Amino acid sequence: MNYKHLYYFLQVAKSGGVLRASELLHLTPQTISGQIQLLEEALGRALFAKSGRGLALTETGRVVLGYAQDIFSLGTELEEAVRDQSAKGRALEFRVGVVDAVPKSITYRLLEPATQLPEPVRIVCREWKLDSLLAELALHRLDLVISDAPIPPSASVRAFSHRLGTSGVSFFAAPALLDRCVGGFPGCLDGAPMLMPGEDSALGQRLRAWFQTQSLHPRIVGEFDDTALAKEFGRHGVGFFVSPTVLSREIEQQFNVKTVGVCAQVVDEFFAISVERRITHPCVVAITQSARNELFAPPSKGRPARRATPG
């Protein structure tokens, strides 16, 4: 495809006719008409149809217009990115999308190695739902998506899920709430107030299944897509909440709560999703290596073993 022909098509579509586009582009109408005809021949479909004294887009023309706008919008972003890179000492911009169900502490620990590279890096983070982030990834507006689930089979995006690691989950409660608990873990959860991850989250679905297998019926007093907000409610004693076990010590200190029990049967998984089958981006390489060798490494390889409660 000749992108100059596509550009002429875009200008005609935006201006509403060949004559107006020729004035904007400082070309003869015959030249522009000839270029668009070549584009139509390349695509094998008509892009315009006569409508009175003017032109109207065909159905194919409307489809092509959408792609043309995206293509030249990305071209503009490319120019701006290169200019920004030069203006900021050639900092490498790393654009990351984070699924809102991923704990903020996990996100920070995963992204931190990218800030330690020899070359300067500028991280741009976007938080959203997985399907929206995958759409941005497909348009190359993101370099990476960090998710609590791999790409769903129904996704039409051509991308690859790279497992970063897994962690069991721990249940936490404020001291005042814990004092009112009856029985040991996990029986103490039966009928207890519970702050649950959102219904659509992978962890929320696993927890609900585990409660059923254990014949536990906690009283759900809140559901949260934002895990930080769930912890804030939990620290004030509204209900029990869960978080990856790898963060246990940090959560106890930060939120002044206590670990009620550890559940190894329910795991929180984390994935790096990219358009690369083989990871080459330096920031993504640093993230995946650190996650697998340190953050989610077995106790013998990195982090010390933590106290576990059967469950």
PDB file of all heavy atoms in Angstrom, residues 55-84:
ATOM      1  N   LEU A  55     -19.060  13.977  -3.295  1.00  0.00           N
ATOM      2  CA  LEU A  55     -18.696  12.577  -3.107  1.00  0.00           C
ATOM      3  C   LEU A  55     -19.129  12.129  -1.714  1.00  0.00           C
ATOM      4  O   LEU A  55     -19.104  12.909  -0.760  1.00  0.00           O
ATOM      5  CB  LEU A  55     -17.179  12.397  -3.245  1.00  0.00           C
ATOM      6  CG  LEU A  55     -16.555  12.639  -4.625  1.00  0.00           C
ATOM      7  CD1 LEU A  55     -15.033  12.542  -4.541  1.00  0.00           C
ATOM      8  CD2 LEU A  55     -17.088  11.641  -5.640  1.00  0.00           C
ATOM      9  N   ALA A  56     -19.495  10.873  -1.599  1.00  0.00           N
ATOM     10  CA  ALA A  56     -19.834  10.273  -0.305  1.00  0.00           C
ATOM     11  C   ALA A  56     -19.024   8.992  -0.141  1.00  0.00           C
ATOM     12  O   ALA A  56     -18.742   8.294  -1.122  1.00  0.00           O
ATOM     13  CB  ALA A  56     -21.328   9.969  -0.229  1.00  0.00           C
ATOM     14  N   LEU A  57     -18.640   8.705   1.074  1.00  0.00           N
ATOM     15  CA  LEU A  57     -17.884   7.490   1.349  1.00  0.00           C
ATOM     16  C   LEU A  57     -18.766   6.257   1.157  1.00  0.00           C
ATOM     17  O   LEU A  57     -19.932   6.247   1.571  1.00  0.00           O
ATOM     18  CB  LEU A  57     -17.350   7.504   2.777  1.00  0.00           C
ATOM     19  CG  LEU A  57     -16.178   8.444   3.077  1.00  0.00           C
ATOM     20  CD1 LEU A  57     -15.972   8.558   4.576  1.00  0.00           C
ATOM     21  CD2 LEU A  57     -14.901   7.951   2.402  1.00  0.00           C
ATOM     22  N   THR A  58     -18.206   5.248   0.548  1.00  0.00           N
ATOM     23  CA  THR A  58     -18.880   3.956   0.503  1.00  0.00           C
ATOM     24  C   THR A  58     -18.702   3.260   1.852  1.00  0.00           C
ATOM     25  O   THR A  58     -17.990   3.760   2.727  1.00  0.00           O
ATOM     26  CB  THR A  58     -18.291   3.072  -0.609  1.00  0.00           C
ATOM     27  OG1 THR A  58     -16.919   2.808  -0.299  1.00  0.00           O
ATOM     28  CG2 THR A  58     -18.389   3.751  -1.963  1.00  0.00           C
ATOM     29  N   GLU A  59     -19.329   2.115   2.020  1.00  0.00           N
ATOM     30  CA  GLU A  59     -19.143   1.370   3.270  1.00  0.00           C
ATOM     31  C   GLU A  59     -17.680   1.011   3.463  1.00  0.00           C
ATOM     32  O   GLU A  59     -17.135   1.128   4.567  1.00  0.00           O
ATOM     33  CB  GLU A  59     -20.005   0.108   3.241  1.00  0.00           C
ATOM     34  CG  GLU A  59     -19.953  -0.692   4.542  1.00  0.00           C
ATOM     35  CD  GLU A  59     -20.874  -1.897   4.536  1.00  0.00           C
ATOM     36  OE1 GLU A  59     -21.710  -2.000   3.609  1.00  0.00           O
ATOM     37  OE2 GLU A  59     -20.734  -2.719   5.451  1.00  0.00           O
ATOM     38  N   THR A  60     -17.014   0.574   2.380  1.00  0.00           N
ATOM     39  CA  THR A  60     -15.580   0.276   2.465  1.00  0.00           C
ATOM     40  C   THR A  60     -14.799   1.540   2.782  1.00  0.00           C
ATOM     41  O   THR A  60     -13.843   1.519   3.570  1.00  0.00           O
ATOM     42  CB  THR A  60     -15.078  -0.325   1.140  1.00  0.00           C
ATOM     43  OG1 THR A  60     -15.775  -1.536   0.880  1.00  0.00           O
ATOM     44  CG2 THR A  60     -13.583  -0.610   1.204  1.00  0.00           C
ATOM     45  N   GLY A  61     -15.219   2.662   2.190  1.00  0.00           N
ATOM     46  CA  GLY A  61     -14.540   3.929   2.445  1.00  0.00           C
ATOM     47  C   GLY A  61     -14.581   4.326   3.908  1.00  0.00           C
ATOM     48  O   GLY A  61     -13.601   4.842   4.454  1.00  0.00           O
ATOM     49  N   ARG A  62     -15.723   4.061   4.559  1.00  0.00           N
ATOM     50  CA  ARG A  62     -15.819   4.391   5.988  1.00  0.00           C
ATOM     51  C   ARG A  62     -14.883   3.528   6.823  1.00  0.00           C
ATOM     52  O   ARG A  62     -14.290   3.993   7.803  1.00  0.00           O
ATOM     53  CB  ARG A  62     -17.270   4.234   6.456  1.00  0.00           C
ATOM     54  CG  ARG A  62     -18.197   5.348   5.950  1.00  0.00           C
ATOM     55  CD  ARG A  62     -19.544   5.310   6.657  1.00  0.00           C
ATOM     56  NE  ARG A  62     -20.325   4.133   6.271  1.00  0.00           N
ATOM     57  CZ  ARG A  62     -21.144   4.095   5.232  1.00  0.00           C
ATOM     58  NH1 ARG A  62     -21.285   5.167   4.455  1.00  0.00           N
ATOM     59  NH2 ARG A  62     -21.839   3.003   4.953  1.00  0.00           N
ATOM     60  N   VAL A  63     -14.751   2.254   6.439  1.00  0.00           N
ATOM     61  CA  VAL A  63     -13.821   1.370   7.157  1.00  0.00           C
ATOM     62  C   VAL A  63     -12.388   1.858   6.977  1.00  0.00           C
ATOM     63  O   VAL A  63     -11.615   1.958   7.937  1.00  0.00           O
ATOM     64  CB  VAL A  63     -13.964  -0.085   6.649  1.00  0.00           C
ATOM     65  CG1 VAL A  63     -12.863  -0.963   7.250  1.00  0.00           C
ATOM     66  CG2 VAL A  63     -15.334  -0.643   6.996  1.00  0.00           C
ATOM     67  N   VAL A  64     -12.038   2.194   5.727  1.00  0.00           N
ATOM     68  CA  VAL A  64     -10.677   2.660   5.434  1.00  0.00           C
ATOM     69  C   VAL A  64     -10.397   3.973   6.154  1.00  0.00           C
ATOM     70  O   VAL A  64      -9.290   4.197   6.660  1.00  0.00           O
ATOM     71  CB  VAL A  64     -10.476   2.812   3.912  1.00  0.00           C
ATOM     72  CG1 VAL A  64      -9.122   3.452   3.605  1.00  0.00           C
ATOM     73  CG2 VAL A  64     -10.580   1.454   3.228  1.00  0.00           C
ATOM     74  N   LEU A  65     -11.400   4.839   6.245  1.00  0.00           N
ATOM     75  CA  LEU A  65     -11.217   6.119   6.935  1.00  0.00           C
ATOM     76  C   LEU A  65     -10.832   5.904   8.395  1.00  0.00           C
ATOM     77  O   LEU A  65      -9.941   6.575   8.918  1.00  0.00           O
ATOM     78  CB  LEU A  65     -12.506   6.944   6.846  1.00  0.00           C
ATOM     79  CG  LEU A  65     -12.494   8.276   7.618  1.00  0.00           C
ATOM     80  CD1 LEU A  65     -11.396   9.191   7.099  1.00  0.00           C
ATOM     81  CD2 LEU A  65     -13.861   8.954   7.525  1.00  0.00           C
ATOM     82  N   GLY A  66     -11.491   4.959   9.062  1.00  0.00           N
ATOM     83  CA  GLY A  66     -11.156   4.687  10.458  1.00  0.00           C
ATOM     84  C   GLY A  66      -9.716   4.249  10.629  1.00  0.00           C
ATOM     85  O   GLY A  66      -9.001   4.737  11.513  1.00  0.00           O
ATOM     86  N   TYR A  67      -9.258   3.360   9.760  1.00  0.00           N
ATOM     87  CA  TYR A  67      -7.868   2.903   9.831  1.00  0.00           C
ATOM     88  C   TYR A  67      -6.904   4.035   9.475  1.00  0.00           C
ATOM     89  O   TYR A  67      -5.831   4.175  10.093  1.00  0.00           O
ATOM     90  CB  TYR A  67      -7.651   1.713   8.902  1.00  0.00           C
ATOM     91  CG  TYR A  67      -8.118   0.397   9.470  1.00  0.00           C
ATOM     92  CD1 TYR A  67      -9.358  -0.135   9.124  1.00  0.00           C
ATOM     93  CD2 TYR A  67      -7.333  -0.307  10.371  1.00  0.00           C
ATOM     94  CE1 TYR A  67      -9.796  -1.338   9.654  1.00  0.00           C
ATOM     95  CE2 TYR A  67      -7.759  -1.510  10.910  1.00  0.00           C
ATOM     96  CZ  TYR A  67      -8.994  -2.024  10.543  1.00  0.00           C
ATOM     97  OH  TYR A  67      -9.417  -3.207  11.084  1.00  0.00           O
ATOM     98  N   ALA A  68      -7.259   4.828   8.480  1.00  0.00           N
ATOM     99  CA  ALA A  68      -6.376   5.923   8.063  1.00  0.00           C
ATOM    100  C   ALA A  68      -6.180   6.920   9.198  1.00  0.00           C
ATOM    101  O   ALA A  68      -5.065   7.400   9.445  1.00  0.00           O
ATOM    102  CB  ALA A  68      -6.957   6.619   6.834  1.00  0.00           C
ATOM    103  N   GLN A  69      -7.255   7.235   9.913  1.00  0.00           N
ATOM    104  CA  GLN A  69      -7.142   8.168  11.033  1.00  0.00           C
ATOM    105  C   GLN A  69      -6.223   7.611  12.118  1.00  0.00           C
ATOM    106  O   GLN A  69      -5.403   8.342  12.680  1.00  0.00           O
ATOM    107  CB  GLN A  69      -8.534   8.451  11.597  1.00  0.00           C
ATOM    108  CG  GLN A  69      -9.393   9.302  10.686  1.00  0.00           C
ATOM    109  CD  GLN A  69     -10.830   9.415  11.161  1.00  0.00           C
ATOM    110  OE1 GLN A  69     -11.390   8.478  11.741  1.00  0.00           O
ATOM    111  NE2 GLN A  69     -11.460  10.554  10.931  1.00  0.00           N
ATOM    112  N   ASP A  70      -6.357   6.303  12.410  1.00  0.00           N
ATOM    113  CA  ASP A  70      -5.482   5.676  13.412  1.00  0.00           C
ATOM    114  C   ASP A  70      -4.028   5.680  12.953  1.00  0.00           C
ATOM    115  O   ASP A  70      -3.112   5.962  13.735  1.00  0.00           O
ATOM    116  CB  ASP A  70      -5.928   4.237  13.687  1.00  0.00           C
ATOM    117  CG  ASP A  70      -7.189   4.168  14.527  1.00  0.00           C
ATOM    118  OD1 ASP A  70      -7.513   5.176  15.178  1.00  0.00           O
ATOM    119  OD2 ASP A  70      -7.848   3.118  14.523  1.00  0.00           O
ATOM    120  N   ILE A  71      -3.802   5.358  11.683  1.00  0.00           N
ATOM    121  CA  ILE A  71      -2.435   5.268  11.156  1.00  0.00           C
ATOM    122  C   ILE A  71      -1.728   6.616  11.257  1.00  0.00           C
ATOM    123  O   ILE A  71      -0.601   6.715  11.752  1.00  0.00           O
ATOM    124  CB  ILE A  71      -2.461   4.768   9.699  1.00  0.00           C
ATOM    125  CG1 ILE A  71      -2.804   3.277   9.666  1.00  0.00           C
ATOM    126  CG2 ILE A  71      -1.125   5.033   8.999  1.00  0.00           C
ATOM    127  CD1 ILE A  71      -3.086   2.734   8.285  1.00  0.00           C
ATOM    128  N   PHE A  72      -2.389   7.684  10.823  1.00  0.00           N
ATOM    129  CA  PHE A  72      -1.720   8.987  10.827  1.00  0.00           C
ATOM    130  C   PHE A  72      -1.702   9.613  12.214  1.00  0.00           C
ATOM    131  O   PHE A  72      -0.827  10.429  12.512  1.00  0.00           O
ATOM    132  CB  PHE A  72      -2.362   9.906   9.785  1.00  0.00           C
ATOM    133  CG  PHE A  72      -2.076   9.453   8.374  1.00  0.00           C
ATOM    134  CD1 PHE A  72      -3.056   8.864   7.602  1.00  0.00           C
ATOM    135  CD2 PHE A  72      -0.797   9.564   7.842  1.00  0.00           C
ATOM    136  CE1 PHE A  72      -2.782   8.412   6.318  1.00  0.00           C
ATOM    137  CE2 PHE A  72      -0.516   9.118   6.557  1.00  0.00           C
ATOM    138  CZ  PHE A  72      -1.504   8.539   5.789  1.00  0.00           C
ATOM    139  N   SER A  73      -2.634   9.198  13.075  1.00  0.00           N
ATOM    140  CA  SER A  73      -2.564   9.629  14.470  1.00  0.00           C
ATOM    141  C   SER A  73      -1.340   9.026  15.149  1.00  0.00           C
ATOM    142  O   SER A  73      -0.617   9.705  15.890  1.00  0.00           O
ATOM    143  CB  SER A  73      -3.830   9.210  15.211  1.00  0.00           C
ATOM    144  OG  SER A  73      -3.734   9.504  16.585  1.00  0.00           O
ATOM    145  N   LEU A  74      -1.074   7.740  14.867  1.00  0.00           N
ATOM    146  CA  LEU A  74       0.122   7.094  15.417  1.00  0.00           C
ATOM    147  C   LEU A  74       1.386   7.727  14.860  1.00  0.00           C
ATOM    148  O   LEU A  74       2.397   7.849  15.562  1.00  0.00           O
ATOM    149  CB  LEU A  74       0.105   5.593  15.092  1.00  0.00           C
ATOM    150  CG  LEU A  74      -0.826   4.731  15.938  1.00  0.00           C
ATOM    151  CD1 LEU A  74      -0.869   3.312  15.388  1.00  0.00           C
ATOM    152  CD2 LEU A  74      -0.361   4.706  17.386  1.00  0.00           C
ATOM    153  N   GLY A  75       1.339   8.146  13.591  1.00  0.00           N
ATOM    154  CA  GLY A  75       2.491   8.826  13.011  1.00  0.00           C
ATOM    155  C   GLY A  75       2.800  10.118  13.741  1.00  0.00           C
ATOM    156  O   GLY A  75       3.968  10.446  13.999  1.00  0.00           O
ATOM    157  N   THR A  76       1.745  10.854  14.099  1.00  0.00           N
ATOM    158  CA  THR A  76       1.931  12.095  14.863  1.00  0.00           C
ATOM    159  C   THR A  76       2.503  11.793  16.241  1.00  0.00           C
ATOM    160  O   THR A  76       3.402  12.492  16.723  1.00  0.00           O
ATOM    161  CB  THR A  76       0.582  12.828  15.002  1.00  0.00           C
ATOM    162  OG1 THR A  76       0.069  13.118  13.695  1.00  0.00           O
ATOM    163  CG2 THR A  76       0.748  14.125  15.777  1.00  0.00           C
ATOM    164  N   GLU A  77       1.986  10.728  16.886  1.00  0.00           N
ATOM    165  CA  GLU A  77       2.514  10.345  18.195  1.00  0.00           C
ATOM    166  C   GLU A  77       3.981   9.960  18.106  1.00  0.00           C
ATOM    167  O   GLU A  77       4.776  10.250  19.011  1.00  0.00           O
ATOM    168  CB  GLU A  77       1.704   9.174  18.762  1.00  0.00           C
ATOM    169  CG  GLU A  77       0.302   9.539  19.201  1.00  0.00           C
ATOM    170  CD  GLU A  77      -0.434   8.353  19.812  1.00  0.00           C
ATOM    171  OE1 GLU A  77       0.244   7.394  20.232  1.00  0.00           O
ATOM    172  OE2 GLU A  77      -1.669   8.388  19.855  1.00  0.00           O
ATOM    173  N   LEU A  78       4.350   9.293  17.019  1.00  0.00           N
ATOM    174  CA  LEU A  78       5.744   8.901  16.823  1.00  0.00           C
ATOM    175  C   LEU A  78       6.645  10.126  16.761  1.00  0.00           C
ATOM    176  O   LEU A  78       7.698  10.176  17.420  1.00  0.00           O
ATOM    177  CB  LEU A  78       5.873   8.089  15.526  1.00  0.00           C
ATOM    178  CG  LEU A  78       7.290   7.779  15.040  1.00  0.00           C
ATOM    179  CD1 LEU A  78       8.038   6.936  16.063  1.00  0.00           C
ATOM    180  CD2 LEU A  78       7.253   7.063  13.693  1.00  0.00           C
ATOM    181  N   GLU A  79       6.242  11.135  15.987  1.00  0.00           N
ATOM    182  CA  GLU A  79       7.048  12.353  15.888  1.00  0.00           C
ATOM    183  C   GLU A  79       7.186  13.030  17.249  1.00  0.00           C
ATOM    184  O   GLU A  79       8.271  13.482  17.623  1.00  0.00           O
ATOM    185  CB  GLU A  79       6.405  13.303  14.885  1.00  0.00           C
ATOM    186  CG  GLU A  79       6.436  12.793  13.443  1.00  0.00           C
ATOM    187  CD  GLU A  79       5.686  13.710  12.494  1.00  0.00           C
ATOM    188  OE1 GLU A  79       5.007  14.637  12.991  1.00  0.00           O
ATOM    189  OE2 GLU A  79       5.779  13.495  11.270  1.00  0.00           O
ATOM    190  N   GLU A  80       6.056  13.083  17.999  1.00  0.00           N
ATOM    191  CA  GLU A  80       6.091  13.718  19.318  1.00  0.00           C
ATOM    192  C   GLU A  80       6.969  12.941  20.278  1.00  0.00           C
ATOM    193  O   GLU A  80       7.709  13.534  21.076  1.00  0.00           O
ATOM    194  CB  GLU A  80       4.670  13.830  19.875  1.00  0.00           C
ATOM    195  CG  GLU A  80       3.784  14.795  19.109  1.00  0.00           C
ATOM    196  CD  GLU A  80       2.351  14.783  19.607  1.00  0.00           C
ATOM    197  OE1 GLU A  80       2.030  13.901  20.444  1.00  0.00           O
ATOM    198  OE2 GLU A  80       1.562  15.640  19.164  1.00  0.00           O
ATOM    199  N   ALA A  81       6.909  11.606  20.207  1.00  0.00           N
ATOM    200  CA  ALA A  81       7.721  10.773  21.105  1.00  0.00           C
ATOM    201  C   ALA A  81       9.204  10.979  20.841  1.00  0.00           C
ATOM    202  O   ALA A  81      10.015  11.062  21.773  1.00  0.00           O
ATOM    203  CB  ALA A  81       7.354   9.304  20.929  1.00  0.00           C
ATOM    204  N   VAL A  82       9.580  11.072  19.571  1.00  0.00           N
ATOM    205  CA  VAL A  82      10.990  11.280  19.226  1.00  0.00           C
ATOM    206  C   VAL A  82      11.461  12.655  19.692  1.00  0.00           C
ATOM    207  O   VAL A  82      12.559  12.802  20.231  1.00  0.00           O
ATOM    208  CB  VAL A  82      11.202  11.110  17.702  1.00  0.00           C
ATOM    209  CG1 VAL A  82      12.621  11.518  17.311  1.00  0.00           C
ATOM    210  CG2 VAL A  82      10.947   9.673  17.291  1.00  0.00           C
ATOM    211  N   ARG A  83      10.593  13.661  19.505  1.00  0.00           N
ATOM    212  CA  ARG A  83      10.958  15.000  19.965  1.00  0.00           C
ATOM    213  C   ARG A  83      11.095  15.034  21.477  1.00  0.00           C
ATOM    214  O   ARG A  83      12.028  15.629  22.027  1.00  0.00           O
ATOM    215  CB  ARG A  83       9.905  16.012  19.503  1.00  0.00           C
ATOM    216  CG  ARG A  83      10.009  16.395  18.040  1.00  0.00           C
ATOM    217  CD  ARG A  83       9.226  17.675  17.757  1.00  0.00           C
ATOM    218  NE  ARG A  83       7.803  17.503  18.006  1.00  0.00           N
ATOM    219  CZ  ARG A  83       6.926  17.123  17.087  1.00  0.00           C
ATOM    220  NH1 ARG A  83       7.331  16.864  15.851  1.00  0.00           N
ATOM    221  NH2 ARG A  83       5.649  16.998  17.372  1.00  0.00           N
ATOM    222  N   ASP A  84      10.146  14.381  22.190  1.00  0.00           N
ATOM    223  CA  ASP A  84      10.207  14.344  23.653  1.00  0.00           C
ATOM    224  C   ASP A  84      11.458  13.632  24.128  1.00  0.00           C
ATOM    225  O   ASP A  84      12.101  14.030  25.105  1.00  0.00           O
ATOM    226  CB  ASP A  84       8.977  13.625  24.223  1.00  0.00           C
ATOM    227  CG  ASP A  84       7.720  14.464  24.085  1.00  0.00           C
ATOM    228  OD1 ASP A  84       7.851  15.665  23.771  1.00  0.00           O
ATOM    229  OD2 ASP A  84       6.620  13.920  24.264  1.00  0.00           O
TER     230      ASP A  84
END
